[in-house]
Amino acid sequence: METKYIFVTGGVVSSLGKGIVAASLGKLLQARGYSVTIQKFDPYINIDPGTLNPYEHGECYVTDDGHEADLDLGHYERFLDIATSRANNITTGRIYQNVIRKERKGDYLGKTVQVIPHITDEIKRNVKLLGLKKQYDFVITEIGGTVGDIESLPFLESVRQLKWELGQNCLCVHLTYVPYIAAAGEVKTKPTQHSLQELRKIGIQADMVLCRADRAIPDDERAKISLFSNIPVDSVISVRDSDSIYKIPRMLHEQKVDDILVDLLKLDRPPADLSVWDTLIQRLEHPRHHVRIAMVGKYVDLTESYKSLTEALVHAGMHTSTRIAIDYLDSEQIEREGTAMLANYDAILVPGGFGKRGVEGKIRAIQFARENKVPFLGICLGMQLAVVEYARHVAGLTDANSTEFALDTPHPVIALITEWTDRSGNVEKRDHSSGLGGTMRLGAQRCPVRSGTLLASIYGDSVYERHRHRFEVNNDYVDRLQAAGLTIAARTPVEGLTETVELPTAGEHAHPWFLGVQFHPEFTSTPRHGHPLFIAYIKAALAHASEQRAQQSAAGDSQASQEKHS
C-alpha cells in the first residue's frame, strides 16, 4: 500500500500531550497490523535540544544513532516498541541549516531563497523522507507548538501543501483544550472553535479533533464543536485526563478513533488487538507490592526532566507487580539539611545532569546509600559521582573531584575525554574550548561485560546502551580505585573507558546492590519488555524493604518480650 501520512497539530495551549496522542494513534494502527513510525517537527531554531536547559524543554532524549532529540521520541519508542533516529526529529534550525547549506553550494541556481517555496519544500522533503523508504504503512508527524504561533507557520503551510499533494493519503488530527469553568459549572468550547478556525484560515481542514479536558465532553458540546468546525460529530473525540498515559490508546479505541482513521483512508484491516497492551495496564492497576524510591537530582521542580527514567521505573513495576512511589528530592536541600530525609526509602537513584549546582548533595546521598546498604543506582553523572564519593571516602583521595566542577582538583578521578571512537568507528576529538552542541559521546555502543559481576547477572556477556556525556572516569585512577574495592564490570573495547562501577556482594566492601552506569538504560525501556537493569533494581528495593520489615518486626518482638519480663 502507499504510505499514509497523519499530521497531529495542537491548539489553544501548549503541553496538551500531542506526543502521547501521536503515540496512541500509532499504537492503535500498529495493533491493526500496520507498520508505523512517528516523527516530531519542532519550531524552535535550535539545531537540536541538546543544549536546552531541562527546565526549558524537559528531558533531552537520545536515539540509537546518537541524535539528541525531543522527549516525545521517547513516547514514540515506548508505545510502538521501535527505534527512532535522527530522521524522526526535525527542528526549524535543522531546516534553515539545510537550506542555507544548499544556497552556499549554489543548488538554487541563483534564485532568491524564500520561506515559500524553499523552506516549505525542505520541510516537505523531510516529512516524506521516512515514507519514501517504503518501510512504513503510516508516517505520523507531530507538529510542535500551538496553532497561531508565528514560529510554526512554515510547518503548517507545508502541511497545507501536503494535504493537497497527497490527497486521500493524508489526514490532519487536531488536539485542543476544552476548559471547565467552575463558576459556570460547564465546559467551554469557544477556544476549540477558534483554534479550528485559525487552522482553516491557514488552509487546513482538520479531519478529526481530540478535545483534552479534565472530564468527559458532553455530547451536546461535541455536537456544537462539530457544527462550528465542519467535522462529523463522531470525529469529535473526548480525551479526558488519565492517571496513566498508557490508558490513552484504549480510551481512543473505545471511541472508535482507529476505525474512523481507517475508514477515512479507505483501508480495510482487522480490528485492533490490544490484548497485550491491556495486560500491561492490568498489571499497572493491580500491583502486589509497593516500594519508595528517592530520586536525588537538581531538576526536581520539573519532573519531565527525568521522563524516560520515571517511565522505566513504571515499566519495571509492571513486570514485578510493584507500585513505584517516586519522591524527587532536591540535592541542594540535602546539602543544607543533611541525609536524614533518605532514611525511609527502599532504594536511592541519582540520575544524570550537568553543572556544579547540587553535586555535593548527590555525593552525600550516594555515601548514605553505600554506608547504609540501601540499593543504589547511579546513571551517567550519578555513576561519576559514585566514583568521586568512593575515591574520597574509601580510596583515600580526600579532595577527589571531576574537572567539570573543579579544574584544579588534585585528584581528577573524572575528567574530560579528548579523543574517543564513536559507534561508527570514527575518531572524535574535543577539548575544554569545544562547543557544547553535539560534542558528547552519543548514541548506542556495545562493550564486553566482566563475568561474575552484578552487571553480568543483568546483561550477560555484553551491554549495548545509549550514551550522552562529556566526562569519563580517568584511567589514571582506575587501578587505585579497584585496589580499594571498587569493581569495574565493563570498559569500552578500544579506549578502555569505564562503563560501569559496582560494589561486591561479599567481603570488606560488600553491598547488596550498588551499581553505577555511564550509559542511559532508561532510553531503551518499554512497557512491553521493561528493562532488565530496572527490573533488577526494583527487585533489590523489594528485598531491602522486606529485610527492613523483618528487622522492625524482630525489634518489636524483642521490645515486647522485655516489657513482659520487666
Side-chain angles (χ1 to χ4, degrees), residues 128-401:
K128 294 189 286 187
L129 207 57
L130 292 171
L132 293 174
K133 293 182 178 180
K134 304 296 182 184
Q135 296 176 350
Y136 306 106
D137 299 320
F138 280 87
V139 175
I140 299 174
T141 303
E142 175 193 349
I143 305 296
T146 305
V147 171
D149 291 347
I150 192 170
E151 293 92 346
S152 59
L153 281 176
F155 291 103
L156 295 172
E157 168 60 20
S158 302
V159 172
R160 183 195 67 79
Q161 294 178 24
L162 283 167
K163 283 207 73 175
W164 176 260
E165 295 170 12
L166 296 170
Q168 68 176 29
N169 290 327
C170 179
L171 297 176
C172 179
V173 175
H174 191 56
L175 176 66
T176 73
Y177 179 57
V178 178
Y180 174 76
I181 308 299
E186 59 185 359
V187 298
K188 290 296 183 180
T189 66
K190 193 64 69 177
T192 292
Q193 295 175 38
H194 287 170
S195 181
L196 289 162
Q197 183 182 62
E198 189 71 26
L199 202 59
R200 289 196 302 275
K201 286 180 181 178
I202 297 169
I204 300 172
Q205 170 62 51
D207 299 285
M208 177 183 289
V209 58
L210 276 60
C211 303
R212 173 80 186 270
D214 65 354
R215 64 201 66 216
I217 308 297
D219 289 344
D220 58 339
E221 301 299 334
R222 291 175 53 242
K224 185 188 297 183
I225 293 171
S226 169
L227 178 65
F228 283 96
S229 62
N230 299 330
I231 297 173
V233 69
D234 287 345
S235 295
V236 179
I237 309 299
S238 175
V239 186
R240 65 187 182 280
D241 291 350
S242 173
D243 60 354
S244 171
I245 59 176
Y246 301 114
K247 294 180 180 179
I248 303 302
R250 169 59 67 180
M251 183 191 299
L252 299 183
H253 177 67
E254 289 175 352
Q255 296 179 74
K256 302 187 183 303
V257 165
D258 48 313
D259 287 338
I260 295 169
L261 294 178
V262 167
D263 289 345
L264 286 170
L265 293 166
K266 298 179 171 54
L267 299 174
D268 184 23
R269 281 286 176 98
D273 178 7
L274 290 172
S275 56
V276 173
W277 199 257
D278 290 339
T279 299
L280 295 172
I281 300 303
Q282 180 75 8
R283 292 178 184 174
L284 183 66
E285 289 283 274
H286 302 284
R288 299 196 305 271
H289 315 291
H290 179 273
V291 295
R292 292 182 67 207
I293 307 294
M295 189 182 297
V296 181
K298 61 189 289 185
Y299 307 120
V300 294
D301 290 336
L302 181 67
T303 56
E304 291 283 289
S305 303
Y306 306 113
K307 188 62 178 176
S308 291
L309 195 47
T310 301
E311 296 306 317
L313 292 170
V314 172
H315 305 159
M318 290 178 178
H319 289 270
T320 57
S321 296
T322 305
R323 185 177 300 282
I324 313 293
I326 305 171
D327 287 347
Y328 300 89
L329 304 184
D330 188 343
S331 56
E332 289 185 287
Q333 185 179 357
I334 292 176
E335 290 178 356
R336 294 190 301 268
E337 302 175 14
T339 57
M341 65 183 71
L342 299 171
N344 297 316
Y345 288 98
D346 303 312
I348 294 171
L349 193 157
V350 176
F354 297 91
K356 185 176 182 179
R357 181 172 62 85
V359 160
E360 292 301 323
K362 295 177 185 180
I363 291 173
R364 292 180 69 178
I366 295 167
Q367 182 179 8
F368 178 92
R370 181 179 59 80
E371 293 179 345
N372 291 278
K373 313 300 182 187
V374 180
F376 169 77
L377 176 59
I379 294 177
C380 197
L381 177 62
M383 185 210 82
Q384 295 173 7
L385 296 181
V387 171
V388 172
E389 190 280 324
Y390 201 83
R392 289 180 182 179
H393 303 124
V394 182
L397 304 171
T398 306
D399 296 317
N401 212 327

Side-chain angles (χ1 to χ4, degrees), residues 342-545:
L342 299 171
N344 297 316
Y345 288 98
D346 303 312
I348 294 171
L349 193 157
V350 176
F354 297 91
K356 185 176 182 179
R357 181 172 62 85
V359 160
E360 292 301 323
K362 295 177 185 180
I363 291 173
R364 292 180 69 178
I366 295 167
Q367 182 179 8
F368 178 92
R370 181 179 59 80
E371 293 179 345
N372 291 278
K373 313 300 182 187
V374 180
F376 169 77
L377 176 59
I379 294 177
C380 197
L381 177 62
M383 185 210 82
Q384 295 173 7
L385 296 181
V387 171
V388 172
E389 190 280 324
Y390 201 83
R392 289 180 182 179
H393 303 124
V394 182
L397 304 171
T398 306
D399 296 317
N401 212 327
S402 166
T403 57
E404 180 179 3
F405 316 124
L407 275 173
D408 58 349
T409 175
H411 297 296
V413 292
I414 305 296
L416 183 74
I417 181 176
T418 57
E419 186 173 304
W420 76 100
T421 304
D422 68 14
R423 65 190 302 272
S424 301
N426 301 315
V427 175
E428 298 280 352
K429 296 182 179 181
R430 68 171 168 222
D431 57 34
H432 283 283
S433 64
S434 298
L436 297 181
T439 58
M440 290 186 272
R441 182 150 73 98
L442 294 164
Q445 290 181 296
R446 185 179 301 279
C447 71
V449 172
R450 179 176 163 186
S451 62
T453 58
L454 172 60
L455 192 73
S457 71
I458 297 169
Y459 282 96
D461 60 5
S462 70
V463 57
Y464 182 75
E465 294 285 9
R466 303 175 191 178
H467 299 72
R468 183 177 183 255
H469 61 276
R470 290 188 181 86
F471 292 80
E472 307 274 357
V473 175
N474 189 339
N475 282 344
D476 292 341
Y477 286 89
V478 164
D479 289 343
R480 185 162 178 178
L481 290 167
Q482 291 188 119
L486 191 66
T487 299
I488 295 177
R491 302 179 74 173
T492 59
V494 177
E495 306 89 353
L497 300 173
T498 297
E499 285 281 79
T500 70
V501 299
E502 61 185 67
L503 291 178
T505 55
E508 179 186 357
H509 303 289
H511 192 287
W513 208 97
F514 188 101
L515 180 63
V517 298
Q518 184 63 83
F519 44 78
H520 288 270
E522 68 271 25
F523 292 150
T524 53
S525 179
T526 65
R528 183 166 186 172
H529 301 292
H531 190 290
L533 189 151
F534 290 101
I535 291 172
Y537 177 62
I538 295 304
K539 287 181 177 178
L542 287 168
H544 179 74

